[in-house]
Amino acid sequence: EPEVTQTPSHQVTQMGQEVILRCVPISNHLYFYWYRQILGQKVEFLVSFYNNEISEKSEIFDDQFSVERPDGSNFTLKIRSTKLEDSAMYFCATTGTEEETQYFGPGTRLLVL
Amino acid sequence: AQTVTQSQPEMSVQEAETVTLSCTYDTSESDYYLFWYKQPPSRQMILVIRQEAYKQQNATENRFSVNFQKAAKSFSLKISDSQLGDAAMYFCAYRSANTGNQFYFGTGTSLTVIP
């Protein structure tokens, strides 16, 4: 069964550093999402992406964040200057064209020191 | 924004028994989708079951079934014949059919299965 993959599985970074989280969607999926889950809290929506542009974003998704699909396969989330409060699990999710279900990747655990 | 409420932070069930996890939501929309996701210790989010709001029939997937009460805005998950592998965090999620694709998640219920 096809699945969403994410790399790295874990990342530790220093505050102020840039990080890039990568996601490989299911091959025929066209809608992409990033969510985050701070430890012990609920999963929160960050951004959705379709047709090479952002279609929705939450208030969490400020100017420090950006997304792109650089090579037509990977879907990336960049955090320009990480803060301590960016420490969380980041999930990528994807959806096919005529589908409501979002399929989640295994997540990247980001720790900002 | 829609809100999803899971009022049971923790639940436990004896192996082979049945457990019901509660979820309520608040929306003014009539067309939407509801989901239950399971998050085991590995932290991956796994789809358990989904329900379309326009369908009156409750969704069922093997040992998992839902009790969807649209008027009450309630969407509970029933797990029958509980197994040790069912132990996980369970999240209820809402998605509009018309106004955007983002999911709104509840705070989760941690399910323990007692052998």
Side-chain angles (χ1 to χ4, degrees):
Chain A
E1 186 177 328
E3 55 184 29
V4 179
T5 59
Q6 290 184 242
T7 55
S9 57
H10 295 78
Q11 176 136 14
V12 181
T13 190
Q14 294 290 325
M15 191 169 60
Q17 295 296 304
E18 174 183 286
V19 296
I20 298 176
L21 311 183
R22 292 182 171 80
C23 169
V24 179
I26 294 173
S27 63
N28 60 344
H29 283 191
L30 299 176
Y31 295 85
F32 314 118
Y33 311 84
W34 283 102
Y35 291 83
R36 80 170 184 194
Q37 185 185 28
I38 295 171
L39 187 64
Q41 299 185 22
K42 67 179 177 182
V43 178
E44 302 172 289
F45 170 76
L46 291 176
V47 66
S48 61
F49 189 85
Y50 170 71
N51 201 24
N52 286 320
E53 58 184 32
I54 291 173
S55 45
E56 288 178 88
K57 60 181 181 178
S58 73
E59 50 195 39
I60 302 169
F61 193 87
D62 61 21
D63 292 343
Q64 293 297 315
F65 293 90
S66 62
V67 290
E68 63 175 359
R69 202 168 180 219
D71 56 10
S73 59
N74 288 296
F75 174 52
T76 63
L77 174 69
K78 183 193 291 186
I79 309 175
R80 283 190 191 80
S81 178
T82 49
K83 303 188 282 285
L84 295 176
E85 53 265 37
D86 293 328
S87 294
M89 193 76 160
Y90 288 81
F91 291 102
C92 171
T94 73
T95 302
T97 306
E98 298 288 334
E99 200 168 0
E100 318 79 33
T101 301
Q102 293 183 13
Y103 296 90
F104 285 78
T108 293
R109 190 186 300 266
L110 176 66
L111 177 61
V112 182
L113 301 176
Chain B
Q2 281 72 13
T3 57
V4 178
T5 302
Q6 293 179 250
S7 58
Q8 306 153 314
E10 296 177 346
M11 291 282 283
S12 61
V13 62
Q14 207 75 32
E15 194 176 3
E17 297 295 308
T18 295
V19 65
T20 298
L21 308 184
S22 301
C23 173
T24 58
Y25 55 94
D26 185 24
T27 184
S28 58
E29 299 178 327
S30 59
D31 202 9
Y32 49 86
Y33 305 96
L34 297 164
F35 304 83
W36 279 98
Y37 280 87
K38 168 184 175 181
Q39 187 182 45
S42 65
R43 305 288 300 273
Q44 175 140 21
M45 299 280 283
I46 303 165
L47 176 69
V48 174
I49 199 166
R50 77 172 193 214
Q51 174 83 40
E52 292 88 345
Y54 64 84
K55 289 187 178 177
Q56 293 186 340
Q57 186 172 9
N58 289 323
T60 299
E61 285 288 338
N62 301 314
R63 298 183 294 105
F64 299 87
S65 61
V66 298
N67 183 5
F68 174 48
Q69 304 281 335
K70 191 172 185 180
K73 297 179 184 174
S74 169
F75 182 61
S76 60
L77 174 70
K78 185 170 85 171
I79 306 173
S80 305
D81 185 25
S82 297
Q83 300 175 358
L84 295 178
D86 295 334
M89 196 74 161
Y90 286 81
F91 290 97
C92 177
Y94 169 103
R95 191 214 137 187
S96 169
N98 300 311
T99 57
N101 297 329
Q102 66 169 288
F103 277 26
Y104 296 89
F105 285 88
T107 50
T109 296
S110 177
L111 178 67
T112 301
V113 180
I114 303 165

